[in-house]
């Protein structure tokens, strides 16, 4: 049995980015690794040729599965079901990991036989490298789920090392957007979960110049919101939320803010849902935000009728900022 499997779903990734991603796995300082690549129905010749090169030249380290296009979530599921490693690390095909990433994660895991280790990551773009906000736990009871709701631990499957057995009863939903959020909601609500934070940067997330709000459609936003709703449903169904009402409200307010910025037609629906919470819960949740966000939430909660106007002016500002 390999100690660690690195699972990479691939769909029409460019040769340059895909090669950098796979190379970062091949040259790890930790020796006991199997690289599982799931080709999710790629049609680009450069992707197919790149995968053939690695299959021909690194067959002892790499297994490549070719499946019909099903989306990243089900491609990862295929990878999980076809690996026999003790631990799993997920890597997106246009990202890359540090040379000693697995070694550092495993060393941290061995300290107290942790079920999961959360590393840190950088954001890489054509403009350089940006150090991302550090992941950390919120102290107190139910610290894992509180941290998840407040976004201080990842909603993504990276940069995390998972014990494979954590996925024994996980359902991989076919969400085109936000599938990581739903999987992690299932992971973080498991009983007796033992998680460590590694303060070292182990993962590099590649941000395409055109991958920000300009490339996010209403359809993608709506699909992402469905995944968010599913993650809350999983939390409600699996743990006692009586001491999590403030954190859940904070999560909803964060999501509301994102929907407003993205000019989503769902923002009105979520605003009405938030208004159903007790006023003292909303008040305590709003305290967690910056002054500008506090002011925004205060106005739209008092006068929901102004929400379309606020969204209009935000979009005007976004237009002038991008032109």
């Amino acid at each position: 049995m390999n100690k660690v499997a690195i699972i990479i779903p691939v769909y029409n990734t460019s040769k340059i980015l895909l090669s950098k991603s796979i190379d970062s796995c091949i040259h790890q300082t930790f020796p006991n690794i199997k690289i599982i690549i799931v080709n999710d129905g790629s049609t680009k010749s450069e992707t197919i040729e790149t995968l053939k090169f690695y299959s021909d030249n690194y067959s002892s380290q790499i297994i490549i599965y070719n499946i019909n296009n099903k989306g990243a979530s089900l491609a990862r599921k295929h990878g999980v079901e076809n690996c026999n490693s003790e631990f799993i690390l997920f890597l997106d095909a246009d990202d890359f990991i540090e040379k000693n990433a697995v070694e550092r994660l495993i060393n941290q895991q061995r300290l107290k036989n942790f079920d999961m280790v959360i590393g840190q990551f950088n954001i890489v773009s054509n403009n350089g490298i940006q150090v991302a906000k550090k992941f950390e736990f919120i102290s107190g009871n139910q610290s894992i789920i509180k941290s998840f709701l407040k976004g201080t631990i990842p909603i993504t499957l990276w940069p995390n090392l998972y014990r494979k057995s954590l996925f024994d009863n996980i359902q991989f939903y076919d969400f085109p957007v936000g599938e990581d959020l739903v999987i992690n909601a299932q992971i973080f609500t498991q009983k007796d979960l033992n998680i460590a934070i590694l303060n070292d940067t182990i993962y590099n997330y590649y941000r395409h110049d055109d991958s920000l709000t300009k490339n996010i459609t209403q359809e993608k936003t709506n699909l992402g919101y469905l995944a968010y709703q599913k993650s809350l449903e999983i939390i409600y169904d699996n743990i006692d939320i009586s001491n999590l009402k403030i954190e859940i409200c904070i999560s909803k307010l964060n999501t509301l803010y994102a929907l407003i910025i993205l000019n989503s037609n769902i923002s009105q629906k979520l605003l009405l849902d938030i208004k159903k919470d007790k006023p003292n819960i909303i008040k305590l949740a709003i305290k967690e935000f910056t002054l500008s966000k506090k002011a925004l939430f205060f106005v739209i909660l008092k006068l929901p009728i102004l929400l379309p106007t606020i969204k209009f002016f935000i979009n005007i500002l976004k237009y002038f900022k991008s032109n």
Side-chain angles (χ1 to χ4, degrees):
M1 176 187 288
N2 296 103
K3 188 71 175 179
V4 178
I6 304 176
I7 297 176
I8 312 174
V10 176
Y11 178 72
N12 288 344
T13 310
S14 74
K15 177 181 178 179
I16 293 174
L17 292 176
L18 181 56
S19 298
K20 188 169 186 176
S21 180
I22 298 173
D23 285 342
S24 75
C25 300
I26 290 172
H27 301 297
Q28 284 295 301
T29 56
F30 187 81
N32 195 1
I33 295 173
K34 181 64 71 174
I35 303 163
I36 297 177
I37 298 173
V38 183
N39 178 24
D40 187 30
S42 295
T43 55
K44 284 188 177 180
S45 59
E46 65 173 318
T47 306
I48 296 168
E49 290 168 4
T50 302
L51 291 177
K52 186 178 186 306
F53 168 82
Y54 283 100
S55 177
D56 291 344
N57 292 279
Y58 295 94
S59 58
S60 63
Q61 294 172 269
I62 296 174
I63 298 175
I64 297 178
Y65 294 99
N66 295 294
I67 64 173
N68 294 329
N69 181 245
K70 297 179 180 179
S73 181
L74 297 183
R76 291 191 186 102
K77 178 185 179 183
H78 190 89
V80 171
E81 291 175 343
N82 287 278
C83 81
N84 63 349
S85 302
E86 186 179 357
F87 291 92
I88 294 172
L89 181 69
F90 294 98
L91 176 63
D92 287 352
D94 48 3
D95 300 338
F96 61 96
I97 53 177
E98 294 294 316
K99 188 175 182 179
N100 57 355
V102 175
E103 181 180 3
R104 284 185 284 178
L105 288 164
I106 287 294
N107 286 343
Q108 185 73 16
Q109 186 278 327
R110 286 171 172 165
L111 293 177
K112 290 187 179 180
N113 195 27
F114 290 106
D115 298 310
M116 178 178 173
V117 180
I118 297 170
Q120 310 296 334
F121 74 102
N122 285 334
I123 299 170
V124 180
S125 70
N126 294 336
N127 297 321
I129 297 176
Q130 173 187 344
V131 178
K133 183 180 178 181
K134 288 279 187 180
F135 292 124
E136 59 184 3
F137 285 128
I138 296 169
S139 61
N141 294 332
Q142 296 181 307
S143 63
I144 293 174
I145 200 65
K146 284 186 177 182
S147 301
F148 179 58
L149 286 166
K150 294 183 75 172
T152 63
I153 59 175
I155 63 172
T156 56
L157 292 178
W158 50 264
N160 314 317
L161 181 77
Y162 297 89
R163 191 183 298 278
K164 183 178 181 288
S165 60
L166 294 175
F167 290 85
D168 287 350
N169 298 305
I170 292 296
Q171 184 170 352
F172 285 79
Y173 293 89
D174 188 15
F175 283 106
V177 180
E179 66 275 5
D180 289 16
L181 177 67
V182 179
I183 293 172
N184 269 340
Q186 295 175 78
I187 295 286
F188 291 138
T189 52
Q190 293 185 27
K191 293 181 179 179
D192 303 319
L193 187 63
N194 192 14
I195 300 180
I197 296 285
L198 176 68
N199 289 322
D200 299 336
T201 297
I202 58 100
Y203 194 99
N204 295 279
Y205 165 70
Y206 183 73
R207 176 182 285 167
H208 299 267
D209 290 341
D210 61 349
S211 66
L212 299 177
T213 55
K214 68 175 76 174
N215 230 19
I216 299 177
T217 64
Q218 280 289 328
E219 182 183 10
K220 286 183 178 179
T221 303
N222 294 348
L223 290 169
Y225 182 68
L226 290 177
Y228 172 72
Q229 283 185 310
K230 185 64 183 179
S231 70
L232 286 184
E233 180 185 316
I234 290 165
I235 292 170
Y236 294 151
D237 289 345
N238 288 281
I239 61 174
D240 177 10
I241 64 164
S242 57
N243 294 318
L244 294 170
K245 291 180 180 179
I246 295 173
E247 286 75 21
I248 289 173
C249 188
I250 290 170
S251 174
K252 289 179 180 179
L253 287 168
N254 268 322
T255 304
L256 175 63
Y257 182 76
L259 292 175
I260 292 171
I261 295 298
L262 295 171
N263 195 29
S264 170
N265 51 18
I266 297 178
S267 54
Q268 185 73 40
K269 178 181 177 181
L270 181 55
L271 176 59
L272 294 175
D273 180 52
I274 292 170
K275 284 177 67 65
K276 293 176 184 178
D277 288 337
K278 293 181 179 180
N280 64 311
I281 296 294
I282 297 173
K283 184 177 180 180
L284 290 170
I286 289 176
K287 282 185 177 181
E288 295 283 327
F289 292 91
T290 61
L291 186 60
S292 59
K293 287 185 179 180
K294 286 177 183 176
L296 173 65
F297 294 143
F298 177 80
V299 170
I300 60 177
L301 284 165
K302 288 289 185 182
L303 297 168
I305 195 172
L306 292 179
L307 181 57
T309 304
I310 291 171
K311 287 166 60 179
F312 173 77
F313 280 109
I314 287 175
N315 275 280
I316 291 294
L317 290 173
K318 283 165 57 180
Y319 172 80
F320 282 111
K321 186 176 179 180
S322 62
N323 289 278

